[in-house]
Amino acid sequence: MTEPAHPHSAPELERQVAARTADLTEMLAYLAACWDEEKRLLARQLHDSLGSSMTALTMHLSLLSQHIPAENKAMRDRSAQMKQLLATIIETNRKMQLDLWNDKLEFLGLRAALAELVPEFGARQGLAARASLPDEDGHYSRTQGVVLLRCAEEGLRNAAVHGQASEVEVILDDDGEQLMLTVRDNGAGPRDCTAAMNASDCHGLRLLRERARHLGGELVLLRGEAGGAVLRMTLPRETPA
């Protein structure tokens, strides 16, 4: 008769640790997905409510401005100031929506989202940023697309903030069996990649790693052959839900 494993035996402890790790990975992935959905809904509300209201106000102000007498310079100047203020609010609202959720990912796919994200990030940060993308979007689930886009965003931020890079490249590959997104820069690069991935203040990388694991893939941080950092996420292909 086989005796039950002692609760403190090595195999049993390993089993418990593995089960606990899997539970935590699943919970982190669930929480991250919920957070993404909240951001998507908030971005949609900003677009549908605030965006529409600001557009309507712009149209009403233009109509009112047409009735201001040409000799009333003070009123015309005030009208021009209001138009500029509205334009600033509309642009700020647009940027907030994009920071929360990239609509191109949902309506046009990951390729279109990356094609917009990478050059805009480079322009804001003052660095050379380019994207190497397939000719067409592959087949992947919405969850995979979100996680790959988050990987690109995290890699770009790390290149600019931590690596102090002047050049960064985002590469999306699809070999039919797996999806691979790579962010490569010419910055300082990590001295110890393992320590950098496990650092207590690198919450973005650690969360991405768990999300990749939950989807059956992996996230690795490497030092480039010529220096700089290489952040790579690999996910198995799956049929979109």
Side-chain angles (χ1 to χ4, degrees):
M1 181 176 179
T2 304
E3 295 184 1
H6 191 277
H8 299 299
S9 65
E12 180 61 19
L13 286 175
E14 290 178 0
R15 187 196 67 78
Q16 291 179 9
V17 169
R20 182 61 173 164
T21 300
D23 286 343
L24 289 174
T25 295
E26 183 177 2
M27 180 58 67
L28 285 172
Y30 172 75
L31 291 174
C34 289
W35 176 233
D36 280 331
E37 182 63 12
E38 288 292 331
K39 292 194 291 185
R40 186 186 74 83
L41 292 175
L42 180 56
R44 177 52 52 187
Q45 289 174 358
L46 287 173
H47 177 274
D48 294 345
S49 179
L50 185 58
S52 298
S53 297
M54 291 298 102
T55 301
L57 280 174
T58 301
M59 295 174 61
H60 290 317
L61 182 58
S62 295
L63 289 174
L64 288 174
S65 299
Q66 295 176 9
H67 297 283
I68 299 177
E71 61 273 14
N72 196 333
K73 185 176 182 305
M75 288 295 294
R76 286 191 167 274
D77 288 345
R78 180 60 58 86
S79 174
Q81 291 172 6
M82 293 173 68
K83 286 181 180 179
Q84 183 58 48
L85 179 59
L86 275 172
T88 301
I89 294 174
I90 291 172
E91 179 62 16
T92 300
N93 182 48
R94 188 193 72 83
K95 290 180 179 178
M96 288 174 61
Q97 292 175 41
L98 186 59
D99 288 342
L100 287 167
W101 185 260
N102 193 319
D103 267 352
K104 280 188 168 55
L105 174 65
E106 189 165 7
F107 297 111
L108 299 178
L110 179 61
R111 185 182 181 280
L114 291 172
E116 177 183 66
L117 169 69
V118 176
E120 284 194 355
F121 179 88
R124 290 198 308 270
Q125 297 294 327
L127 53 81
R130 60 184 180 274
S132 178
L133 307 171
D135 293 334
E136 297 180 359
D137 260 324
H139 297 290
Y140 48 83
S141 67
R142 174 178 168 183
T143 301
Q144 286 181 320
V146 171
V147 173
L148 289 167
L149 183 61
R150 293 288 177 256
C151 180
E153 292 170 344
E154 186 69 21
L156 289 169
R157 278 195 298 268
N158 287 341
V161 177
H162 301 297
Q164 299 295 310
S166 60
E167 297 180 7
V168 62
E169 183 178 15
V170 176
I171 306 164
L172 179 63
D173 292 314
D174 182 353
D175 64 4
E177 295 184 358
Q178 63 181 14
L179 302 163
M180 181 183 296
L181 188 134
T182 304
V183 184
R184 179 185 295 120
D185 66 62
N186 68 341
R191 293 183 179 180
D192 186 331
C193 295
T194 301
M197 282 290 290
N198 294 320
S200 59
D201 59 342
C202 289
H203 302 297
L205 286 177
R206 293 164 68 194
L207 180 57
L208 272 175
R209 181 178 60 188
E210 297 308 312
R211 297 185 76 175
R213 284 177 178 172
H214 180 66
L215 295 174
E218 65 174 359
L219 179 75
V220 296
L221 178 65
L222 307 169
R223 186 172 177 82
E225 294 181 1
V230 177
L231 182 66
R232 178 174 296 128
M233 178 178 285
T234 306
L235 301 177
R237 280 279 298 269
E238 64 178 44
T239 302

